[in-house]
Amino acid sequence: MLQFDEPGWTPALVCILLYLFVVHSYRLPLGSTAIGVGLVAFALEMRPPRAPGFLLWFGAFLLWSLATMGLGWSPLDSWDRWLDFGKLWLISFLVYNAAQSEKQWRIVLVGWLGMFALFPFRGTAVNYLSGISHMGRYAWNFTFQNPNDLAAISLLMLALCMAFVRTPRPAWIRWSARAGAASMPLLIILTGSRGGLLAMGVFFAVLLAFSKRKLGTITLTALALAIAFPLMPANIKNRFLNMKFLQDTETIGQADSSAEQRYAILKVAYTVAKDHPLFGVGIGNYPHANERYAASRPEWKL
């Protein structure tokens, strides 16, 4: 019986890796070009396209946003944001369709982890060692300059590392994944993101609950914490300790000003959604709505 090799490298996969390099390094202005060429390359493969549930729902959201765009507060701003989300849909479509075999997914995910290690992880480590921070919180540049955004993306990278921790082959991927899983919590902690810390705690709790090898999971978690906490700057420790004030809306301002501001934004967002339940204010127009609504209530002006 004939046996064929598992599908591997394709031009579309190369384009995806080029795109990942561009959005992580900002070295080449070729992000849109890489995705465009990748879509053409996939079309030339003559394979039937696939659309999983999340892409169908995402597409339905885009169609609804387009249909109601004229009812929003600023259709011009909505159009710009709609184009941004449309690009995200095309990128997701390309990745899902270009990577179909296990080997192809491994190429994309390992490549993604490698880009993350080379740029925001390395850059944040250099900033930490050099004492370069923003209000005592560490991050990198470009997409990764916001500590909260970096923490959220790092959680995804941590999950990908855990997915490769016990991969049967090759060994260098398995050991690289273990190194990433042990060190990624340090990156999340250095961002000073309280949401990132809470999410990481939930992540490890769920991982332990469903793991078939609990001893290995506990060992890896303990190793990650042993690496992270001794290196945590004092100001970040205080930021996490002040989370005790987040249990009550009356004391939320004692945690820090950003927590109080986010609570005010949440109240404004709830009011906007209640006043515009069906059509909203238009995709991309929430900043305008927040500014207008906040001006109407003194307690929302933070």
Side-chain angles (χ1 to χ4, degrees):
M1 186 176 185
L2 293 176
Q3 291 185 348
F4 297 93
D5 292 335
E6 183 182 16
W9 288 92
T10 64
L13 286 183
V14 173
C15 289
I16 291 172
L17 293 178
L18 175 59
Y19 172 78
L20 289 173
F21 173 78
V22 170
V23 298
H24 282 73
S25 69
Y26 281 74
R27 297 288 175 85
L28 299 171
L30 297 175
S32 297
T33 302
I35 295 301
V37 174
L39 288 168
V40 172
F42 169 71
L44 293 176
E45 293 178 14
M46 303 299 291
R47 284 188 289 167
R50 304 178 301 164
F54 81 90
L55 270 181
L56 294 176
W57 282 108
F58 191 8
F61 167 74
L62 289 175
L63 290 175
W64 177 253
S65 299
L66 182 63
T68 60
M69 190 174 295
L71 302 175
W73 289 11
S74 176
L76 184 60
D77 289 341
S78 291
W79 175 247
D80 291 338
R81 184 52 56 90
W82 190 88
L83 289 177
D84 290 337
F85 280 105
K87 292 175 183 177
L88 288 176
W89 192 94
L90 289 174
I91 293 167
S92 302
F93 174 83
L94 176 60
V95 173
Y96 187 82
N97 282 276
Q100 296 194 12
S101 70
E102 180 181 348
K103 183 177 181 180
Q104 288 174 331
W105 275 111
R106 187 163 62 244
I107 290 171
V108 172
L109 297 181
V110 171
W112 191 3
L113 287 170
M115 301 298 178
F116 191 86
L118 282 174
F119 295 101
F121 191 102
R122 174 190 55 81
T124 305
V126 171
N127 286 343
Y128 170 71
L129 296 174
S130 304
I132 302 173
S133 67
H134 177 67
M135 300 181 66
R137 302 173 65 187
Y138 295 89
W140 191 53
N141 297 321
F142 312 116
T143 302
F144 312 98
Q145 65 182 348
N146 184 301
N148 294 324
D149 292 346
L150 178 58
I153 298 171
S154 299
L155 283 166
L156 175 59
M157 298 297 106
L158 175 60
L160 294 181
C161 285
M162 294 302 300
F164 285 109
V165 161
R166 297 191 182 93
T167 187
R169 58 186 177 87
W172 70 269
I173 293 180
R174 181 170 63 253
W175 285 104
S176 296
R178 290 174 178 175
S183 58
M184 202 65 70
L186 173 60
L187 178 62
I188 295 172
I189 287 175
L190 289 180
T191 65
S193 172
R194 290 169 298 210
L197 181 67
L198 291 173
M200 185 171 63
V202 173
F203 173 84
F204 280 116
V206 172
L207 185 67
L208 182 61
F210 289 92
S211 176
K212 295 181 180 179
R213 301 181 180 179
K214 297 188 183 300
L215 180 60
T217 302
I218 293 173
T219 302
L220 188 58
T221 303
L223 177 61
L225 297 178
I227 294 174
F229 282 106
L231 298 176
M232 188 190 306
N235 62 298
I236 292 182
K237 289 181 181 178
N238 293 331
R239 180 178 175 82
F240 289 147
L241 290 174
N242 286 340
M243 289 174 65
K244 61 186 177 183
F245 296 115
L246 302 178
Q247 302 178 56
D248 193 320
T249 57
E250 298 297 325
T251 61
I252 194 171
Q254 299 179 44
D256 61 29
S257 60
S258 67
E260 190 174 17
Q261 290 169 354
R262 285 182 175 83
Y263 182 58
I265 291 174
L266 180 63
K267 290 189 288 186
V268 173
Y270 173 77
T271 306
V272 172
K274 185 174 63 174
D275 291 347
H276 306 272
L278 186 58
F279 300 108
V281 295
I283 185 173
N285 283 325
Y286 178 74
H288 301 306
N290 181 274
E291 182 179 1
R292 186 181 301 182
Y293 272 72
S296 66
R297 301 273 290 270
E299 65 270 24
W300 290 347
K301 296 179 181 179
L302 296 177

